[in-house]
Amino acid sequence: MRRWFAALLACTLSLALIAGCSAPPEAESPGQTSSQSGQTTSPSPGQSSGQSTAQPEGPQREVQGVTDTTVKVGGFAAQSGPVAPIGISVRKGFEAYIKHVNDQGGVHGRTIDIVQIADDQFDGAKALTAAKQLVESDKVFALAPILGTAGYMASYDYFVEKRIPVIYPMTGVEQTAHPPQENIFAVQPNNYDEARILTQYLVDELGLKKIAVLWQNSDMGEQGLKGVKDYIGELGAELVYDAPHDAKSVDFTTPVLNLKQKGAEGVVIMTTLAETIGIVKEMHKQGVTAVPITSYVNADPVNVPALAGEAAVGLYAGGWVPVADPEDPNIKQFFEIYAKYNNGELPDAYGTAGFIAAELLVKGLEDAGRDLTYESFIQALEGLKDWSGIMARNLTYGPGERAGVKAFYLNKVVEQDGNIVMIQVNKEPYKLR
């Protein structure tokens, strides 16, 4: 059972981490829950600060949240409401690795104090209120984990203004890395960079020159389309057609017919799973031969073959960490740590995301040294080049570079031994030029 689940987990993480976080549902009842105390308060919604994204300059800032024996951190992730299963898993993964580190003596003699992981219920106003409390009242040194587009975007200007380190905002919006902010460190690929990588693969690796984009009318789709438009000329290819659709659309007859008539050879699909299934089914129905390629949020090795069947054959999808071997010592260590601090539970992909956020935070604290300051922490993370931890993979930062991952493992749906399956087609990460 553990071997089977490990293989499934590794595949799921590589293909669809934080799927669905770009379209936040409505919040239910108000509330903010501390992950440690279990106490609940009812914050009032806060307002975002100004729109400036200029990086602050000036003398070394005062260090908050750091003593000789502790360093304070905290974040927000839904713990109630419809997104709670995701947020709870993120919290469990984050806490598991932090507890593991603390049990090993902490970092440079300091234990990491998780002040709280606030329950923002996937609501932007509640997330901003939580961020302000963490920074201004709890006096945290860094913010992690940060789950979801709604909370991140509502708090973005505040993060920039306060210059508090933000570790792995779990969303694909472009603003995690573009423009780069000195205190914000993304991990998973953003929509803009992802679309560029997918287009580059179609052109450079598959030799296709006429590209279409079918995109959801959302941040994901709009930023993906922008990435293709900004890059297509440099690749020596042509954008022959693009068309938006609303979330939960079911009829793709017209856009598929149009891309066929335009002679598209490759199709970049920037939307979520149900719409991706609808698109490939319609392409199959109309006999379209253009090669489809889609976001990592749709590369689900279970549901894509099950829902699309033979229509999915030939579909490519990105994944930002490789499909892992369950016998890999790192995978085994991850399972052991997670289970130890979660009553023997098995982790899911979202627990893995929380674990990765904790790994990156700890790596920054370790490399910053005993004399921990804002500047030494930022410099430490900027020094990471293709760094991998237990579950974190191939993270790179630098001055003016905050994307984290700008490479993909491409996966493809194929027919194999009479079954329709999704396989990984490249062993090394495929990098943006």
Side-chain angles (χ1 to χ4, degrees):
M1 176 68 177
R2 286 180 63 86
R3 183 184 180 89
W4 172 84
F5 193 90
L8 178 61
L9 166 68
C11 189
T12 302
L13 171 65
S14 71
L15 301 174
L17 188 59
I18 311 304
C21 287
S22 61
E26 293 183 4
E28 294 183 349
S29 59
Q32 180 174 348
T33 303
S34 165
S35 65
Q36 300 213 342
S37 67
Q39 296 177 343
T40 301
T41 60
S42 298
S44 59
Q47 301 296 322
S48 63
S49 60
Q51 295 297 317
S52 173
T53 57
Q55 295 186 5
E57 297 179 357
Q60 181 168 314
R61 60 176 293 174
E62 178 184 354
V63 182
Q64 72 172 30
V66 179
T67 70
D68 286 342
T69 58
T70 61
V71 54
K72 291 183 179 181
V73 301
F76 53 76
Q79 303 296 294
S80 63
V83 188
I86 295 175
I88 290 170
S89 289
V90 165
R91 172 178 60 78
K92 287 181 175 180
F94 185 82
E95 291 179 342
Y97 188 69
I98 297 301
K99 290 174 181 177
H100 167 74
V101 170
N102 285 342
D103 284 349
Q104 306 304 309
V107 181
H108 299 300
R110 295 187 180 97
T111 57
I112 301 170
D113 178 12
I114 304 174
V115 176
Q116 66 168 323
I117 297 175
D119 179 10
D120 70 340
Q121 298 181 330
F122 224 66
D123 177 88
K126 291 180 176 66
L128 178 57
T129 298
K132 289 182 175 181
Q133 178 176 332
L134 287 162
V135 174
E136 298 172 20
S137 299
D138 297 328
K139 302 290 185 182
V140 297
F141 173 77
L143 291 167
I146 299 295
L147 173 65
T149 300
Y152 177 74
M153 291 306 298
S155 307
Y156 176 77
D157 291 334
Y158 183 75
F159 293 156
V160 173
E161 174 193 344
K162 293 299 182 181
R163 298 174 63 199
I164 293 294
V166 177
I167 307 302
Y168 186 1
M170 297 174 186
T171 169
V173 293
E174 182 182 3
Q175 290 89 338
T176 58
H178 305 298
Q181 302 295 342
E182 67 172 4
N183 59 312
I184 300 175
F185 290 84
V187 173
Q188 69 191 73
N190 61 76
N191 304 316
Y192 179 84
D193 286 336
E194 178 186 25
R196 293 199 296 160
I197 294 173
L198 298 179
T199 305
Q200 179 181 293
Y201 190 84
L202 289 178
V203 176
D204 286 359
E205 302 304 310
L206 303 185
L208 310 179
K209 298 297 183 182
K210 294 183 177 182
I211 308 302
V213 183
L214 299 185
W215 52 282
Q216 187 183 89
N217 189 13
S218 64
D219 286 337
M220 177 188 186
E222 291 173 359
Q223 293 175 4
L225 177 65
K226 180 174 181 289
V228 176
K229 285 183 172 179
D230 287 353
Y231 197 35
I232 196 94
E234 184 178 336
L235 292 170
E238 177 187 4
L239 178 62
V240 297
Y241 177 72
D242 77 86
H245 59 267
D246 293 332
K248 300 183 180 180
S249 293
V250 295
D251 185 359
F252 297 96
T253 306
T254 298
V256 170
L257 177 62
N258 288 340
L259 69 87
K260 182 179 181 180
Q261 292 176 340
K262 293 289 185 178
E265 299 170 335
V267 184
V268 179
I269 301 173
M270 293 298 292
T271 187
T272 45
L273 182 61
E275 292 80 50
T276 298
I277 298 299
I279 290 168
V280 296
K281 280 186 172 181
E282 186 61 34
M283 290 177 65
H284 183 71
K285 178 181 177 181
Q286 294 193 30
V288 175
T289 58
V291 177
I293 192 167
T294 191
S295 167
Y296 69 92
V297 304
N298 303 316
D300 185 329
V302 176
N303 288 310
V304 169
L307 297 174
E310 63 179 354
V313 172
L315 173 69
Y316 286 86
W320 59 273
V321 296
V323 176
D325 180 356
E327 297 302 320
D328 185 314
N330 284 335
I331 300 297
K332 290 182 177 181
Q333 184 182 12
F334 165 55
F335 267 74
E336 289 170 0
I337 293 171
Y338 189 95
K340 178 179 178 180
Y341 296 102
N342 287 290
N343 298 316
E345 289 181 17
L346 294 170
D348 59 16
Y350 305 109
T352 312
F355 192 93
I356 291 171
E359 282 192 277
L360 182 57
L361 170 69
V362 170
K363 179 62 174 174
L365 295 175
E366 289 174 343
D367 289 1
R370 173 66 183 173
D371 185 17
L372 178 61
T373 64
Y374 173 87
E375 288 76 15
S376 68
F377 184 78
I378 297 297
Q379 185 175 12
L381 290 180
E382 285 186 339
L384 298 183
K385 307 298 179 188
D386 289 322
W387 172 76
S388 295
I390 299 173
M391 293 303 292
R393 293 288 186 271
N394 306 114
L395 301 184
T396 295
Y397 304 102
E401 179 54 73
R402 292 295 186 268
V405 173
K406 295 179 78 171
F408 272 91
Y409 295 86
L410 273 299
N411 306 276
K412 185 180 182 180
V413 180
V414 299
E415 188 170 353
Q416 191 175 81
D417 299 326
N419 298 310
I420 297 172
V421 297
M422 183 175 285
I423 63 171
Q424 184 174 304
V425 297
N426 60 323
K427 293 183 179 180
E428 297 299 323
Y430 181 72
K431 295 184 178 182
L432 195 61
R433 286 182 188 175

